[in-house]
Amino acid sequence: MADPLLSAEGISRRFGPVQVLFGVDFDVRAGEVHALIGENGAGKSTLMKILAGYLEATEGTLRFAGRPYGAGGAEDLGIVLIHQEFNLAEHLTVEENVFLGRELRRGFLLDRRAMRERAHQVLGELECPVDPAARVRDLSVSERQMVEIAKAASRDLRVLIMDEPTAVLTKSESAVLFRLIRRLKDQGVAVVYISHKLDEVKEISDRVTVLRDGHLIATQSTGDLDQDAMAQLMVGRAISDMYPPKDPPPADAPVVLSVEGVTVPGWVRDASFDLRRGEILGFAGLVGAGRTELMEGILGLRRRTAGTISRDGARVRIRNVGDATAAGIAYLTEDRKGKGLLLGKPLRENLTLLALGRFGRVLIDERAEEAALERAVRDFDIRVRDPGVPAGALSGGNQQKLLLAKTMQVEPSIVIIDEPTRGIDVGTKRQIYLFLHDLARRGIAVVVISSEMAEIIGLAHRVVVMRSGTITGILEGAAIEENEIVRHATGLKGTDRNAVVSA
Amino acid sequence: AQETVKMGVSIPAATHGWTGGLNWHAQQAEKELEERYPTLDVVLVSASDAARQANDLEDLVSIHNIDALVILPFESAPLTDPVRQVKDQGKFVTVVDRGLTDPGIQDLYVAGNNPEMGQVSARYIEEKLGGEGKIVVLRGIPTVIDNQRVDAFMKEIEDSNIEVLGMEYANWNRDDGFRVMQDFLARFPEIDAVWAQDDDIALGVIEAVQQAGREDEMFILGGAGMKDIIRRVMDDDKLVPADVLYPPAMIAEAMEITARHLVEGEPIEKEYILEATLVTPENAEQYYYPDSPF
Amino acid sequence: MQSSAPDTARRPSAGLDLKVYGPFLALAALILLGVLVNPVFLSPGNIINVLTRTAFIGIIAVGMTFVITTGNIDLSVGSMAAFAAGVAIVAMNALAGPLGSGWAVVLAGVAVALAFSLAAGFLNGILVTKGRIEAFIVTLGTMGIFRSLVTYLADGGTLTLDSTIRATYRPVYYGGLFGISYPILLFFAVAAVGALIMYRTPFGRYCAAIGSNEDVARYSAIKVDRVKLLAFVFQGLCVALAVIVYVPRLGSASATTGLLWELEAIAAVIIGGTMLKGGHGRVWGTVAGAVILTLIDNILNLTGAISVYLNGAIQGVIIIVAVLLQRSGASRR
Amino acid sequence: MQSSAPDTARRPSAGLDLKVYGPFLALAALILLGVLVNPVFLSPGNIINVLTRTAFIGIIAVGMTFVITTGNIDLSVGSMAAFAAGVAIVAMNALAGPLGSGWAVVLAGVAVALAFSLAAGFLNGILVTKGRIEAFIVTLGTMGIFRSLVTYLADGGTLTLDSTIRATYRPVYYGGLFGISYPILLFFAVAAVGALIMYRTPFGRYCAAIGSNEDVARYSAIKVDRVKLLAFVFQGLCVALAVIVYVPRLGSASATTGLLWELEAIAAVIIGGTMLKGGHGRVWGTVAGAVILTLIDNILNLTGAISVYLNGAIQGVIIIVAVLLQRSGASRR
Ligand SMILES: Nc1ncnc2c1ncn2[C@@H]1O[C@H](COP(=O)(O)OP(=O)(O)OP(=O)(O)O)[C@@H](O)[C@H]1O
Ligand SMILES: Nc1ncnc2c1ncn2[C@@H]1O[C@H](COP(=O)(O)OP(=O)(O)OP(=O)(O)O)[C@@H](O)[C@H]1O
Ligand SMILES: [Mg+2]
Ligand SMILES: [Mg+2]
């Protein structure tokens, strides 16, 4: 066995009073993919930030090729971290971001052509269509993630650490990423791979390390583990049947939301669908299909040029989120950091921001807020040791939970959730599925946009498939299975709008 | 030993040339008077706006507990009441230059005469032009002083054939004088005289005129008695044939008189009006203080 | 952005706490200095004087706290004040005929001042929100506009309140309750209300939310434009209140009234611990900041020692040191 | 915030393009206005005058563009200029003895101005980076300090350059090449270099990156503090250059020299399309902005039509309209 390229011994880390890592050992060899898994808040990102020199360890030593190195040195050693939370300068262009801090130059001046070409090439290899001259702030989350990957890939790497890179990617993009990882592997790069998608872990990794509550649980070769075993190690108990049994609403259930011919310029053309009481309606499609944009159009967050929206048969005017909330519609954005949470503000203020009106018209009832926070922490199992910290201090998955809790504060009768389990561990995922299932049973109508096929298939009573801005089909019953969805998503099938496919 | 007498002096901060001179003369006088009268203590404060000057008056009374106040008001109207308050606490009040709206307040008034200054300037220009010609006027900072000067000036030339081509504010500031004059020169092909009203402005104007090479076409009349200008008058510079005095030294005079009255109990008359003297090559020498910064 | 800074994220409470207490520490230090320089400093008379004159800037600064918290800025407050004062004076003098010189006419003047300031604030707000122009530019423009309107109104000179009306109005500045002058009372009333709005009402929360991330605010059903607009209108209101206690003091308005007040107000806000980038508003800090600024002037007057020319330099040094003191405190934590 | 305004999302370039061209459109519109007002406007003499005048503010504004791009601000430039000019004049007068009144002494003066401005910029930078104080406060403080130092130096009056030295130095302002004055040439040289640095060197990118997201910059191994510090020093350099062409104009410096230049410089930058919050620097836009500001003034002086009192108002209106024009253009796209 080759000895490790990068190794960490007895790493501990505390944030003020709270300790989040307890003497963790971890190593990765050249040409190996080492997966790191664990529940939300287990300490994965923290550990990786320490390896990559973004955080100091409270205790423990780091070695590279046997030689100890400090936080400062990581960059020069070729240790690169792709952050779980985006780490791009929004005002700058893709190309500027990719080369930020290590620009190519000719003499004093930037060699802009070279950089543009290089950026083009790297993005090309990642099959990512974005223009290097585009501003990052104009990109979608998925594109941003690809840019992050491009940024990392364009360096001369020795160790590549990826913190949930596929959380915001669709299958096809993930496939591209895996090809990249394999190539790097062959070049002898050591890869650390964090993910909550255990199938991916199984597919790509050679070894798996499991963290739980900041403690090292096990490090084993992937061959010896199946997904259930991994899940069990993570959560500490067995996880059976991820998805609760579906019980669709009766066919005559009233239509609570009906969308007619909505067009969002540049994004969505003439989209129509109905949503029934107590129904879970899935939205599938490739990145850029425009699902998010359609929903944002409905919510009045993007300009609609055409289309009508009816609640319980009556037309409603929705010009902004306020109107939507008044109409009992709540939306959970896919862009947690950019549009979802105020990372600098405490949990309480984030939780109640959307529903602040309910916590006192004139003066805010802070006691009620506290109560709400306690409830939310309980109901959504938000793992935070000190509720005083700002939302930005939560682990990625726990931020997602907080966002979900925030959305539910308005007690909507229609919930639109964009990527509900983005960055959420298997155990909690199941909780969320149960939660959604439960909402539907209580007669609430749920729309789920997800890039995880399994999630759509496992949850949705009906599935709307979109492709580049148009609805290509609405699947029901047995028609809800992978091939059928992919065919519609890729345009092999069904273009006549609202062709209801069932079997 | 004799118990000491405190004299508070409140003046505008040095925000342009003239007030700069004012500050300098005040400080000179402070040094000199404190030497001459061991029992006299002078407290000098300067303020950058009317409200602040009112604050200073409060502080002079409440903190320094002065016996007498010498003030050159930032503006007449707003400071009338604050000064009255000082008076009401039984202090001796000397007002300099800008009269309060209620003259009843002051025990002593040492005044420059703004209307007269405008008048004298107007008369000079009028006769030098032989009663007719085209002139431009550069005004100071929008204040009562500026208005008094300009109104008097306009009134004086009313019934002559002098045409005022243009009027702009130059804020008693060289750069603005230069800027405004440049544009006047661009705008008017023919200018016979410039009333700059202030020597700082005048200096800017001179540069602009020289740059345009139109020195021989016009003359410039400033005001105040800044040494550089007096110098030019002395060397009878055709471009600056005269100047109208409005000496910042008046503050020193006021302090002096007040001090003498306080310490030696010397009797005083209620008003000292320093008339706006016209400085010409003939009498220039006697108004030239080479060592003053102004 | 600053929000997500990992290091600040790590010890959020610490940093904030000091942002909260820092200004008061600085204030305490300054008071100490004052006492050392001259014991008279603590005489009730002096204290009252200082606080009373803080009132104008202080009240305006409270409004500024909201504007800055939403991530905007208002450079026009100084000339807005001059303008409102001017209009009020003209109105009162004009109405003296019909209404006599009693409280009726004063109230009329107050009403006029209010109306104009609110309108001015509304104008700023509309241009920023609907016109989508940087607040800096908008208020730079309106600053010039208001300033020269008052110059125009005064024909370049000074607008003076009719002395008989003045007599009626005077007590509003010089009078008081239990030895505390009305301006001080108003100042603290405004601060208290401001603090209540900032910390306890949805509006305050919304201002902070918008200042820290406008998108999140929009996605959270906050009417971003309306909140911003309201912040500017509230600023207008504060200016009006400041004017109401200013006019009886000097009884006049001119082109130079309120010159550079905007700078002082902003400085008070920043010294108070509010971030210029927005997202965090500290009303009581602003109060401390305003008092600090006036104290500096006052302390300089306590000592006849230094050359008058150097006042500005000493002010500058004290301001920087005062803030440095807070920050270094922060890092010590 | 504005960043992901939904409707712009799809067309990344559009909004920016207008930020780039907007100022030049506004400039064109203004020139048109000027011609209509008074044909003299286009006379070579006037054009040269206007551009020459713009030089000071323009050169300083180029530096300001960098400071603002990094998300900071520098209020001290005006008094820094006065201070540097003052010190340079004193130095030259003092050195006239040993060095005579030839170019030697002028170069000495230039060196002194450079030294002082760079030191001043360095001071600002250090206080902002090491002292971790908001740039607004730091530079507000140093503004007061420099201003009153020059007042002190001049005894409240005016520092005047010895006339013989002046004679040597004079051409630097009034002379030129092919009818184009040196200040103009310097101005465009500085702008060109500034643009090169902003768009073609890593430093320029780092400034933008820091202004856009400081953490990201830090994570990308950018020496954030050093870059900020350099930006302030560069600002100092620009001030020095402005001073070098300013002094020979009137050969004097006083307490009023450079008053409010900071405001004009910042306005020029913002009108030029740079965002006050940082992240985006537009050097050529700044040049346009600076010219726009002087033009407004020039046009007003060229028309006798309006009451002098209202100049400020018209300036304000034009500034707002000029920017409004850009924005509305943006939304039309
Ligand atoms: N800056 C911080 N201040 C305080 N606590 C923090 C900070 N950063 C992380 N934590 C805490 O450390 C713990 C581990 O966080 P970390 O992000 O490493 O979890 P994770 O394993 O990455 O979870 P996820 O899978 O959700 O990303 C969490 O409880 C989190 O609240
Ligand atoms: N073919 C394309 N044309 C234009 N933009 C595209 C295309 N493909 C991807 N994009 C980018 O993808 C983004 C849309 O991705 P987004 O992820 O929002 O789509 P979606 O349908 O909401 O899918 P998901 O919900 O999985 O993100 C757009 O912002 C756009 O920048
Ligand atoms: Mg994580
Ligand atoms: Mg989406």
Side-chain angles (χ1 to χ4, degrees), chain A residues 39-41 43-46 49 84-85 163-164 194 196 394-397 423:
Chain A
E39 289 181 290
N40 297 126
K44 302 184 294 296
S45 299
T46 306
K49 283 181 191 156
Q84 176 173 19
E85 299 301 347
D163 195 345
E164 300 189 35
I194 300 179
H196 291 294
L394 286 187
S395 80

Side-chain angles (χ1 to χ4, degrees), chain A residues 299-452:
Chain A
L299 272 278
L301 285 163
R302 288 176 184 264
R303 201 161 46 85
R304 286 196 303 267
T305 48
T308 65
I309 297 157
S310 317
R311 280 281 281 118
D312 304 327
R315 273 195 62 171
V316 286
R317 284 195 67 210
I318 299 182
R319 286 148 311 173
N320 53 46
V321 181
D323 297 346
T325 317
I329 307 173
Y331 171 69
L332 186 148
T333 174
E334 67 179 335
D335 184 356
R336 183 166 65 214
K337 190 180 184 184
K339 305 191 171 76
L341 296 174
L342 297 173
L343 298 173
K345 298 275 176 203
L347 306 190
R348 177 163 57 87
E349 291 183 26
N350 273 289
L351 180 70
T352 58
L353 192 59
L354 177 58
L356 205 49
R358 297 164 164 260
F359 294 85
R361 272 259 148 268
V362 183
L363 290 192
I364 299 171
D365 178 352
E366 289 179 340
R367 207 176 276 93
E369 278 188 301
E370 287 299 347
L373 180 58
E374 279 169 28
R375 221 179 307 112
V377 168
R378 206 176 338 99
D379 297 353
F380 294 87
D381 182 31
I382 299 171
R383 306 274 177 86
V384 57
R385 302 199 181 41
D386 160 16
V389 297
L394 286 187
S395 80
N398 284 300
Q399 286 179 18
Q400 184 70 16
K401 296 182 204 167
L402 177 62
L403 185 53
L404 191 54
K406 171 188 173 183
T407 314
M408 295 314 298
Q409 285 300 312
V410 290
E411 296 173 1
S413 48
I414 298 177
V415 198
I416 302 171
I417 305 187
D418 202 344
E419 308 293 356
T421 59
R422 181 168 280 175
I424 291 225
D425 68 57
V426 280
T428 321
K429 242 182 203 166
R430 189 154 176 292
Q431 293 171 3
I432 289 181
Y433 295 150
L434 285 169
F435 173 74
L436 295 179
H437 179 76
D438 195 52
L439 284 181
R441 275 237 302 283
R442 299 212 315 267
I444 294 175
V446 183
V447 171
V448 175
I449 300 175
S450 174
S451 306
E452 273 191 61

Side-chain angles (χ1 to χ4, degrees), chain A residues 1-9 25-36 47-48 51-52 62-66 69 78-80 158-162 185 188-193 205-209 219:
Chain A
M1 259 290 154
D3 46 7
L5 179 59
L6 176 70
S7 67
E9 291 139 30
D25 300 337
F26 182 84
D27 66 58
V28 55
R29 310 188 185 102
E32 166 192 59
V33 177
H34 190 159
L36 180 60
L47 180 58
M48 291 305 115
L51 292 188
L62 302 171
R63 294 182 192 287
F64 183 84
Y69 69 93
I79 304 171
V80 176
R158 300 297 305 284
V159 180
L160 175 59
I161 304 169
M162 297 191 245
K185 227 176 110 165
V189 175
V191 178
V192 181
Y193 185 89
S205 70
D206 306 311
R207 283 195 298 164
V208 178
T209 290
T219 300

Side-chain angles (χ1 to χ4, degrees), chain A residues 129 138-143 170 267 286-293 334 418-419 422 449 451, chain D residues 10:
Chain A
D138 298 322
L139 302 184
S140 73
V141 286
S142 38
E143 289 168 309
T170 53
W267 289 111
L286 304 178
V287 166
R291 298 164 294 172
T292 299
E293 289 70 17
E334 67 179 335
D418 202 344
E419 308 293 356
R422 181 168 280 175
I449 300 175
S451 306
Chain D
R10 203 64 218 87

